[in-house]
Amino acid sequence: MPDTQEDGKPFQLTEEEERRAEEATSMAAVVVHEALRKEGESELARPTSALAWSGLAAGLSMGFTLFAEGLLQAHLPDLPWRPLITKFGYTIGFLIVILGRQQLFTENTLTVILPLLSRRDSTTLANVARLWSVVLVANLIGVWLFTLALRGPAFEPQVLDSFRQIGREAMAPGPLVIFFKAIFGGWLIALMVWLLPGSESSRLPTIIIITYLVGLGKMAHVIGGSAETLYLATTGEIGYVDYLLNFFIPTLGGNIIGGVALVAALNHAQVVAGKRKEHR
């Protein structure tokens, strides 16, 4: 339908119609950018102790990615379609962390980078380094503690075997392949964070769909994957050095590249380019 009258003039809308038209319009990239930048500024202003406790809570919560997936896998037959169901368990930790507003390292590869890209000063860089290091260490401590708890007598042998199998699958590709998988994992998680401000009532399916893809594609995630691989380390199947060299370091590097370079920097660039064009 045309949006103008026969004389070429636009239709006159009531205030209520104007409001509905604005709600129906997709959120502009600059609005999403500003919302995430402000969130990043808020996170950078938080004291170290608050970041540490929130990061620890997030690490514990991310343990439920292994917990839920392992339970589903243990109770389903070993058939080709099984991952299509079990990988829904992978989404549980992300749902708890994001809806609970806990600090997860891979989310911060987008939000706190936007203030840094906007200012580009040493003070902001140092603050980003502080937040990243505190949240990453706290996340890892959280998932490590969770995997220690999984060794207890609370689970049946077939469930424990599922936990081990999931960990072996995470380690199997080798560090180089894990690195490239981690780029896609960091990319998808950062894209999810970019989508959330405009999702409103569809936040839940947005989180589930994106994290389900990460799990189904076995795209390495430094915290979710650490829950899987640290379980092997805490049970003695692999050494902690093996975990660090063959999973943690390549996954961390890939996630940072995927989140910072492919999402934060590119989306920041498009917003900056748009503002320059408007000012001409």
Side-chain angles (χ1 to χ4, degrees), residues 172-191:
L176 184 60
V177 175
I178 287 173
F179 171 74
F180 285 106
K181 283 179 171 287
I183 293 175
F184 284 95
W187 189 355
L188 283 167
I189 295 301
L191 278 176

Side-chain angles (χ1 to χ4, degrees), residues 55-73:
L56 179 64
L60 289 167
S61 297
M62 284 301 295
F64 285 103
T65 58
L66 173 63
F67 176 86
E69 185 179 345
L71 287 178
L72 288 171
Q73 184 165 302

Side-chain angles (χ1 to χ4, degrees), residues 20 54 56 92 99 109 112 127 129 140 146-147 163 171 176 197-198 221 240-241 253 272 276:
R20 291 182 179 179
S54 183
L56 179 64
I92 300 301
L99 297 180
T109 58
V112 300
N127 204 6
L140 291 173
F146 193 98
T147 58
F163 294 156
M171 292 287 294
L176 184 60
H221 183 271
Y240 284 100
V241 174
V272 171
R276 287 174 181 169

